[in-house]
Amino acid sequence: MPRLPSENLTDREAQMMEILWRDGAQSAEAVRLALDDQPHDSTVRTLLRILAQKGYVRIRGRQPALYEAAIARSRVQAKATRNLLTRFFAGSVTDLVQQLVEDKQLSPEELDRIGKSFKARRRKGG
């Protein structure tokens, strides 16, 4: 299993990765067209090369090259979550969840659903 890249994604890189995770291997032009603001072609190609250097993207073929995600979304999400917990919540999941509730990003109903899901997973031994 490849090691997760150490460098974090910028907002634009994350947008581009979402496209590749959602749509699979794409040409640079297809990625550009899928972005809301459709940036300049050279900007997209540069960012795709940077993502490849960071280890997030694999490049297949030529003319047109296809770009595909080299790392699963779930692995990047796990890394980002650990980074967030460490940097801003001193590793406390409780503090993170409390902040989400206070910011109205997590409703009591969602919190209850998460609790039930967790209990069901524990009963199954997961």
Side-chain angles (χ1 to χ4, degrees):
M1 182 180 297
R3 193 171 139 275
L4 194 60
S6 60
E7 297 182 55
N8 294 320
L9 294 172
T10 65
D11 289 345
R12 177 63 92 184
E13 289 169 345
Q15 289 173 340
M16 294 170 78
M17 288 304 300
E18 283 297 329
I19 292 164
L20 297 176
W21 286 320
R22 181 190 69 216
D23 300 336
Q26 299 288 308
S27 67
E29 179 64 6
V31 171
R32 186 182 79 76
L33 292 173
L35 291 165
D36 289 338
D37 61 342
Q38 298 182 354
H40 195 274
D41 179 65
S42 63
T43 301
V44 171
R45 290 177 189 282
T46 298
L47 288 171
L48 287 167
R49 277 194 305 276
I50 290 169
L51 284 167
Q53 290 167 353
K54 287 182 174 184
Y56 286 95
V57 167
R58 219 178 350 257
I59 304 171
R60 292 190 330 205
R62 292 177 178 249
Q63 299 174 355
L66 291 180
Y67 299 85
E68 65 183 353
I71 296 177
R73 176 190 280 130
S74 61
R75 289 196 64 212
V76 176
Q77 288 172 332
K79 179 182 183 281
T81 302
R82 284 190 304 274
N83 184 29
L84 179 70
L85 278 171
T86 302
R87 290 181 68 197
F88 300 107
F89 296 94
S92 171
V93 174
T94 301
D95 289 350
L96 170 62
V97 171
Q98 285 176 334
Q99 187 65 51
L100 291 171
V101 171
E102 287 174 20
D103 290 346
K104 296 181 173 74
Q105 297 296 312
L106 184 62
S107 70
E109 296 80 20
E110 290 170 317
L111 196 55
D112 186 49
R113 199 171 335 122
I114 291 168
K116 288 177 183 175
S117 175
F118 180 74
K119 286 177 187 175
R121 189 177 278 177
R122 285 186 72 192
R123 281 194 297 270
K124 291 180 182 178

